[in-house]
Every structure is written in C-alpha cells, then in structure tokens.
C-alpha cells in the first residue's frame, strides 16, 4: 500500500514532465524504468529494495499514462480525442481482465514469470514509440520551433505547485485523484 501511495504522489510530477519534455521520449523512458524495475525486483529479497522497485514501476506507469493522454491530446483533433481516450480506457479494461489470467498461468511456470512478462511487454512498446507517425513528428517539430521562436517560458515545478494552490477547483480535482488512487487502486482511473 505504501508503494502505491508513494508512486501516486510521484505521479503528480508526471504531468509536469509531460508538459516540459518530449512525450514519446518520456513514455520510452517510463517503459525502460518499468522493464528494469520489474526484472530487478525478482532478484532481490530486501524489503526496501522491493518497495523501491514497486514504487518505480507504479510511478513509471503513471507517468506513461499521463504522457500518453497528453500526446493524444496534442496529436488528435478535438473530434477524434473522445474516441482515442475511449479506446485507451477499453484497452486498459481488457488488459486488467486478461492480465490476471496470463499472470496466473505464468506463475505456475515460475514465481517471477509475471514480472518477466511485464518487463517484456514494456520493452515491446518502445519500438512503437520510437518510430511513431513521422507526419505527426514533423508537425510536432514545427510546433516546437514555433514555440521556441515565441520564447514562451514554461513554469518550473515549484511555480506549477503555486499555481495549483491558487486554483481551488484544480486542488480538489488533484486531491480527489490521489484519494481515488489510494481507495480504489490504480486500475480504476487508468
């Protein structure tokens, strides 16, 4: 439970990262963090290291999810976003339906096999993220050049927290999201 709470709090930083860094690269780094942590957790018997790797996995999943939603919002027109977010939610639900069955079958083979599968699936996603749609990449690059020409400075994380504190609706939304993660678990709000 503590690792889920810690990773949820770290996930708040995910939105900030998605606003300030290339979303595809951030998702790739998250996939690598998931893979490495899932593999390393199978080789340790120290409780603190196990908790650390679980926090890393959950935090990376949160950052990847936030970056994916931000990327979809950036690349798709308003009319297509609803369908894309709906498809994302459906795929998450399918994964949470099939995942336990696959994990139980893998566990019968070896106790660490579900985590090995986690690492493998996370690594399989990275080539898709790296290659991506070239037309969207070039338009995103053009947007980045346009933004740099305007010399718009993005607030740092401290300024983001100050802005958050001054927006009561956003504070309640963020607090509600954190409490949802704690009470219902990560899979409900996917």
């Amino acid at each position: 439970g503590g690792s889920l709470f810690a990773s949820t709090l770290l996930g708040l930083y995910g939105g900030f990262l998605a606003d300030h860094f290339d979303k595809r690269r951030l998702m790739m780094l998250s996939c690598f963090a998931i893979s490495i942590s899932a593999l390393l957790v199978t080789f340790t018997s120290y409780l603190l290291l196990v908790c650390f790797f679980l926090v890393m996995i959950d935090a990376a999943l949160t950052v990847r999810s936030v970056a994916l939603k931000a990327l979809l919002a950036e690349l798709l027109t308003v009319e297509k976003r609803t369908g894309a977010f709906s498809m994302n939610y459906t795929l998450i639900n399918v994964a949470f339906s099939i995942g336990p069955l696959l994990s139980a079958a893998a566990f019968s083979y070896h106790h660490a096999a579900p985590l090995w599968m986690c690492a493998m699936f996370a690594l399989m996603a990275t080539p898709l993220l790296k290659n991506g749609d070239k037309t969207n990449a070039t338009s995103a690059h053009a947007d980045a050049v346009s933004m740099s020409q305007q010399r718009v400075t993005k607030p740092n994380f401290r300024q983001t927290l100050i802005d958050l504190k001054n927006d009561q609706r956003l504070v309640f939304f963020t607090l509600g999201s954190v409490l949802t993660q704690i009470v219902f678990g990560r899979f409900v709000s996917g």
Side-chain angles (χ1 to χ4, degrees):
S3 66
L4 185 63
F5 179 72
S7 64
T8 300
L9 291 179
L10 287 173
L12 294 175
Y13 194 61
F16 175 79
L17 292 174
D19 285 342
H20 286 75
F21 297 102
D22 177 58
K23 290 156 190 63
R24 289 178 200 252
R25 184 169 292 140
L26 190 58
M27 289 169 48
M28 287 174 57
L29 290 173
S30 295
C31 287
F32 283 127
I34 293 164
S35 296
I36 291 167
S37 297
L39 285 175
L40 291 178
V41 76
T42 64
F43 294 110
T44 186
S45 58
Y46 296 106
L47 180 62
L48 288 178
L49 277 177
V50 169
C51 287
F52 173 76
F53 291 134
L54 292 177
V55 167
M56 289 300 297
I57 291 169
D58 279 334
L61 285 169
T62 300
V63 169
R64 187 183 66 180
S65 177
V66 168
L68 172 65
K69 291 172 185 173
L71 184 65
L72 290 174
E74 182 179 287
L75 296 177
L76 299 175
T77 63
V78 175
E79 297 81 27
K80 292 182 179 180
R81 287 181 195 161
T82 304
F85 286 123
S86 178
M87 179 61 75
N88 179 43
Y89 186 72
T90 299
L91 290 174
I92 289 170
N93 285 334
V94 168
F96 275 105
S97 298
I98 296 172
L101 298 173
L102 290 174
S103 293
F107 186 81
S108 68
Y109 170 71
H110 191 278
H111 70 278
L115 290 163
W116 296 340
M117 285 177 32
C118 170
M120 180 186 68
F121 286 135
L123 280 179
M124 286 171 50
T126 55
L128 298 172
L129 294 169
K130 183 179 181 184
N131 296 330
D133 183 1
K134 301 301 181 196
T135 58
N136 287 333
T138 56
S139 72
H141 176 69
D143 290 343
V145 170
S146 167
M147 288 292 283
S148 67
Q149 290 172 346
Q150 294 175 0
R151 300 192 190 273
V152 175
T153 58
K154 295 182 179 180
N156 60 24
F157 188 62
R158 184 177 182 190
Q159 184 60 44
T160 301
L161 290 176
I162 291 170
D163 291 344
L164 172 68
K165 184 186 84 166
N166 294 331
D167 187 343
Q168 188 176 14
R169 288 177 295 180
L170 197 52
V171 168
F172 286 127
F173 176 77
T174 304
L175 184 60
S177 296
V178 170
L179 293 175
T180 297
Q181 296 291 346
I182 294 167
V183 175
F184 296 109
R186 183 160 311 284
F187 67 92
V188 173
S189 61

